[in-house]
Amino acid sequence: MKSSIYFLLLLVLAGCKKVEPPEPIGPIPSERHLAWHDMQYYAFIHFNMNTFTDMEWGTGGEKPEQFNPTELDARQWARVAKDAGMKGIIITAKHHDGFCLWPTKTTEHSVKNSPWKDGNGDLLKDLSEACKEYGLKFGIYLSPWDRNAGNYGEPEYVADFHEQLRELLTNYGEVFEVWFDGANGGSGYYGGANETRKIDNKTYYEWDKTTEIVRELQPNAVIFSDGGPDIRWVGTEEGWANETNWSVMRRDEIYPGWPRYVELRSGHEDGTHWLPAEVNTSIRPGWYYHPREDHQVKTLPRLIKTYYESIGRNGNFLLNLPVDTRGLVHENDEKQLLALKKQIDADFANELGKGLEVTASDVRGSNKKYAASNVNDGNNETYWASNDSAFRPTITFDFKTPTEVNRIVLQEHIPLGQRVKVFMVHGEVEGKWKLIDTQTTIGYKRILRFDPLEVSKIRMTFSSVKGPVAISNIELYRAPNLLVEPEINRYPKHGISLKVPDKNVNIHYTLDGSTPTKSSKQFNGHLMLDKPATVKAIAINPEDGKQSAVATKYFDIPKWNWKVIKVSTGDLGTTRGVFDENPNTFWATDENVSKPQEVVIDMGVVHNLKGFTYWPIQERYPFGIITNYEFSVSTNGRNWKLVASGEFANIVNSRLEQKVDFPKTQARYIKLKGVKVDGENMRASFGEVGVITE
């Protein structure tokens, strides 16, 4: 009896024994880092002189009088960001052209000399107050490069740059992030010198002193640049991080304009400093507003992909909103932002792992403080930890009854560092384990997406780690199928493609102009169309019968047998882009030409025509857009008849398909001439040329 009591006493004492937490591994985040990680998703706003000059990089020779928004409303910006689920806004207080959005004492090139509010405006004040009203954090972008300043390149300019920073960090409340661009030095106005000036971007701006100013005035703010010192650029402006994404880097190797920027996409496993990645991209092709891009706002599937490849890959998502010349976030942009918010909310609406029984193969010291149940207790401060000697520790969720899953969220307890190198996810299907995914890093947050799978259990195996695991959170979801209207395209040999991003939804279509329903023909991956028709299509979710909006696209005669037989200049052998059924590709004539350029196309057989179509080039930096045209036809390729001429009104700002009607006529050959183009010479570009038949 005594021995039993003694044994029980030993067990109690063992359970009371203090178990030390895992030792931190590698660099760990600061308090400002942890606050930044919690931000996850916030807005970049590029709005400055470039908005009114229709440029991306101003020269510095612009006049303050050109800055004159007609309806500027910073509260609208804040409302849109808040409605979109964002947690803050970073504003381009000064871009490379040097124009300041606040009445700085350092230069006359600012809002104080603009017509906006009769020179009494202060956009930084307006926006900081709007952010406070809507519960958003406020950040500033300040370009170190200044193409307006006459003293740029001299020590005096650095003093002005530091003073500008002091003004921004002193007068507008709390700042959560200070953003320094890596573009530095080059050609510019420079007070009228109009020359090229080079600086040593490692030393010229006195970065140590710059950092001291931020630490002194805004100690909670993180500093962004290629190399931080707090957070880093992700190495691309396309909106993604690599699947392997370490929050640590060998920071002392990195500087603004670092040529090995590709390494920024993954970080360094052996990094010396906590330097997590910020994934920045724009909702449009450009960073600043250009009316010609109103139709090029990123689609919902593209924005969703960016969300999962930024936040879902251990990064923060900084999405740029190019405020327009009115001073408002454009309606098209707002529509897509709200669509993204709605879909992400739906994806993570129902957490399936909460309350489930969770077991681990190893628990640190067998102590409840580090129990497996910490990963689904809703508290990010608690975590499951393994012993130092644990080999390939596992954690398992038991559903009891088969349940569909297609999303998994994992988070490490990063105050102890980033530890996981490789992990695997298995699902138990009908009593057998099935591999779902094998991945690498986790960090603050990792989100896995996969096809819906009905499982009884989910198991994660941490097969390669830097030390004992420390996992704070695991969530399981069954996100709904993504239901968006189908994308309709035609390819050579007149094959029609109907696409949706989610293969689990069905597509139904019609070819007679009628509205499709679930009773209409279902697309099976193959559809031939050899005559003019209007294709209408819908996507239907088989789970609940809900359907998308109707997508509609008219196709005239197929172009598979068309040939370009003559061009004014350029390579005749590369002209397929003129009529390849894809307006996002293009062909252009030679540069530096002084005469109107034209293309002549043989359609193969005679058709009855009543019009033609022209898509302008869709590139981010367009050129050679035909603004005034002549369109001629021929049955034999020798005798030509001019059937249409005129102007494509506002085509530079509205780069959509242009349709021109003319009296019915027969033709086998067509000729489109660019009588006038948008550009410095007569070079012409062609996104897509088509005809309208009888």
Side-chain angles (χ1 to χ4, degrees):
M1 183 70 177
K2 288 183 179 180
S3 61
S4 298
I5 295 173
Y6 181 71
F7 179 71
L8 289 173
L9 182 61
L10 286 176
L11 288 177
V12 171
L13 291 173
C16 295
K17 183 181 178 181
K18 184 179 180 181
V19 178
E20 295 296 329
E23 288 290 331
I25 292 181
I28 61 173
S30 64
E31 288 299 319
R32 69 174 72 92
H33 278 129
L34 294 174
W36 175 84
H37 278 290
D38 286 342
M39 293 281 290
Q40 291 287 271
Y41 178 39
Y42 40 96
F44 216 172
I45 286 186
H46 275 64
F47 177 73
N48 210 291
M49 183 62 73
N50 294 331
T51 308
F52 301 92
T53 59
D54 197 25
M55 298 180 70
E56 285 290 297
W57 281 14
T59 66
E62 299 80 13
K63 303 298 181 185
E65 293 80 8
Q66 293 173 268
F67 182 86
N68 191 21
T70 55
E71 304 174 47
L72 198 154
D73 184 0
R75 294 184 70 256
Q76 187 250 7
W77 307 359
R79 177 189 60 77
V80 169
K82 184 72 172 181
D83 290 347
M86 295 172 162
K87 295 183 178 179
I89 296 177
I90 299 174
I91 177 69
T92 51
K94 184 191 78 171
H95 204 252
H96 310 324
D97 56 80
F99 185 77
C100 298
L101 294 180
W102 78 102
T104 176
K105 298 176 182 178
T106 63
T107 178
E108 296 302 304
H109 198 51
S110 81
V111 290
K112 66 186 178 184
N113 290 314
S114 77
W116 177 58
K117 290 190 175 182
D118 296 323
N120 297 312
D122 185 342
L123 185 49
L124 274 293
K125 181 174 184 293
D126 292 351
L127 182 56
S128 61
E129 291 178 351
C131 285
K132 185 175 182 180
E133 177 182 347
Y134 281 89
L136 300 171
K137 292 188 177 182
F138 176 67
I140 56 111
Y141 165 115
L142 180 65
S143 172
W145 188 16
D146 192 321
R147 303 173 91 179
N148 173 266
N151 60 358
Y152 182 80
E154 302 297 328
E156 291 77 15
Y157 168 74
V158 179
D160 290 340
F161 169 62
H162 288 164
E163 181 57 32
Q164 290 173 358
L165 184 60
R166 285 187 174 277
E167 291 176 353
L168 291 170
L169 300 183
T170 302
N171 299 324
Y172 302 104
E174 186 169 358
V175 172
F176 85 94
E177 182 168 332
V178 181
W179 217 96
F180 294 124
D181 204 309
N184 287 292
S187 63
Y189 174 73
Y190 301 130
N194 293 311
E195 61 188 15
T196 297
R197 296 181 180 179
K198 298 291 186 180
I199 52 92
D200 183 346
N201 52 13
K202 298 180 186 178
T203 61
Y204 174 61
Y205 299 106
E206 301 178 23
W207 288 115
D208 288 348
K209 185 174 181 180
T210 303
T211 300
E212 288 175 6
I213 293 171
V214 178
R215 298 289 189 246
E216 172 196 348
L217 300 176
Q218 295 286 344
N220 296 322
V222 292
I223 301 173
F224 169 98
S225 77
D226 289 0
D230 295 313
I231 56 177
R232 75 180 194 264
W233 179 44
V234 77
T236 174
E237 294 182 350
E238 296 302 312
W240 51 272
N242 280 345
E243 288 185 315
T244 298
N245 183 15
W246 292 98
S247 290
V248 294
M249 291 203 76
R250 299 186 297 273
R251 193 183 71 188
D252 292 343
E253 296 178 9
I254 307 167
Y255 52 87
W258 191 49
R260 289 158 47 196
Y261 63 89
V262 172
E263 296 176 34
L264 297 171
R265 299 171 187 172
S266 289
H268 294 146
E269 183 181 332
D270 61 348
T272 57
H273 293 78
W274 193 267
L275 197 67
E278 183 176 76
V279 181
N280 62 318
T281 193
S282 183
I283 199 168
R284 294 168 174 239
W287 291 95
Y288 280 93
Y289 177 76
H290 309 288
R292 63 180 179 269
E293 295 177 353
D294 282 349
H295 69 295
Q296 292 182 306
V297 178
K298 283 184 169 66
T299 63
L300 176 59
R302 183 66 185 86
L303 289 172
I304 291 171
K305 187 174 188 288
T306 302
Y307 182 94
Y308 281 104
E309 292 181 355
S310 56
I311 291 174
R313 291 182 178 176
N314 189 35
N316 275 14
F317 184 11
L318 176 60
L319 181 60
N320 180 63
L321 311 180
V323 167
D324 64 24
T325 51
R326 297 172 300 175
L328 301 174
V329 176
H330 195 276
E331 298 85 345
N332 294 358
D333 303 45
E334 181 179 4
K335 178 182 177 181
Q336 291 304 85
L337 287 168
L338 297 182
L340 174 62
K341 172 69 159 56
K342 181 179 179 181
Q343 187 63 45
I344 295 300
D345 284 351
D347 282 5
F348 299 103
N350 185 21
E351 211 281 277
L352 303 173
K354 193 173 183 179
L356 291 184
E357 180 183 348
V358 189
T359 57
S361 64
D362 185 277
V363 174
R364 191 169 188 82
S366 302
N367 192 297
K368 288 185 178 181
K369 182 177 180 180
Y370 305 111
S373 57
N374 289 338
V375 302
N376 67 340
D377 65 356
N379 182 358
N380 281 352
E381 299 300 315
T382 62
Y383 57 96
W384 162 57
S386 64
N387 287 295
D388 294 353
S389 59
F391 176 70
R392 295 168 62 90
T394 65
I395 190 165
T396 305
F397 287 74
D398 190 345
F399 284 104
K400 304 302 183 184
T401 59
T403 303
E404 278 199 349
V405 178
N406 62 356
R407 301 284 190 278
I408 300 178
V409 178
L410 301 100
Q411 294 183 269
E412 288 188 81
H413 187 65
I414 59 173
L416 295 177
Q418 190 175 353
R419 318 163 83 84
V420 175
K421 298 165 66 175
V422 179
F423 68 99
M424 297 179 291
V425 179
H426 289 82
E428 187 183 68
V429 180
E430 297 179 348
K432 296 182 179 180
W433 288 105
K434 178 179 179 179
L435 179 64
I436 296 174
D437 202 356
T438 298
Q439 283 297 342
T440 54
T441 53
I442 296 176
Y444 178 79
K445 181 177 287 187
R446 186 68 190 273
I447 307 175
L448 305 184
R449 288 195 295 171
F450 47 91
D451 289 334
L453 185 67
E454 190 174 69
V455 298
S456 298
K457 296 179 181 179
I458 287 282
R459 183 180 70 200
M460 295 85 172
T461 302
F462 300 90
S463 52
S464 181
V465 291
K466 290 186 175 183
V469 295
I471 306 295
S472 63
N473 185 43
I474 299 176
E475 299 169 8
L476 310 174
Y477 295 90
R478 183 12 174 132
N481 296 336
L482 176 58
L483 193 65
V484 295
E485 64 184 58
E487 179 184 331
I488 308 174
N489 292 297
R490 180 165 67 184
Y491 294 98
K493 300 296 183 181
H494 46 268
I496 299 297
S497 167
L498 304 179
K499 291 182 179 179
V500 290
D502 194 326
K503 67 181 182 181
N504 297 302
V505 303
N506 301 321
I507 302 174
H508 296 260
Y509 68 94
T510 61
L511 301 177
D512 59 3
S514 62
T515 300
T517 67
K518 63 182 179 181
S519 300
S520 301
K521 192 168 184 179
Q522 184 171 332
F523 181 66
N524 62 6
H526 184 72
L527 175 60
M528 302 302 291
L529 186 63
D530 58 2
K531 59 184 179 180
T534 297
V535 180
K536 292 189 175 183
I538 56 172
I540 297 179
N541 187 351
E543 294 178 338
D544 53 17
K546 291 183 179 180
Q547 67 180 53
S548 70
V550 178
T552 302
K553 196 165 186 178
Y554 171 76
F555 295 100
D556 213 286
I557 57 173
K559 306 173 184 178
W560 65 271
N561 61 341
W562 286 21
K563 295 179 180 178
V564 174
I565 59 174
K566 183 181 178 182
V567 294
S568 299
T569 61
D571 184 356
L572 190 62
T574 63
T575 54
R576 186 71 199 177
V578 175
F579 49 76
D580 64 353
E581 305 282 10
N582 182 2
N584 293 313
T585 61
F586 71 94
W587 179 83
T589 63
D590 284 346
E591 300 181 61
N592 302 318
V593 291
S594 58
K595 294 181 180 180
Q597 302 289 288
E598 63 186 23
V599 295
V600 179
I601 298 171
D602 177 4
M603 297 185 292
V605 296
V606 173
H607 294 282
N608 294 316
L609 304 186
K610 63 176 184 178
F612 81 95
T613 61
Y614 168 70
W615 270 99
I617 185 174
Q618 299 295 301
E619 294 292 289
R620 180 176 177 183
Y621 299 106
F623 61 89
I625 295 175
I626 296 174
T627 58
N628 294 72
Y629 62 87
E630 288 182 356
F631 192 82
S632 303
V633 300
S634 172
T635 56
N636 57 21
R638 296 184 301 274
N639 306 110
W640 291 92
K641 178 172 69 173
L642 180 66
V643 293
S645 62
E647 178 186 8
F648 295 128
N650 199 37
I651 189 173
V652 174
N653 287 330
S654 182
R655 291 185 293 159
L656 301 172
E657 184 181 40
Q658 308 295 306
K659 297 181 179 180
V660 177
D661 296 323
F662 50 74
K664 295 177 183 178
T665 187
Q666 288 193 324
R668 171 175 170 170
Y669 302 89
I670 58 176
K671 181 195 300 182
L672 177 58
K673 177 187 287 188
V675 176
K676 186 178 179 181
V677 300
D678 179 54
E680 297 180 356
N681 57 62
M682 294 302 300
R683 186 186 196 192
S685 59
F686 303 83
E688 187 76 15
V689 175
V691 294
I692 304 171
T693 58
E694 187 177 359

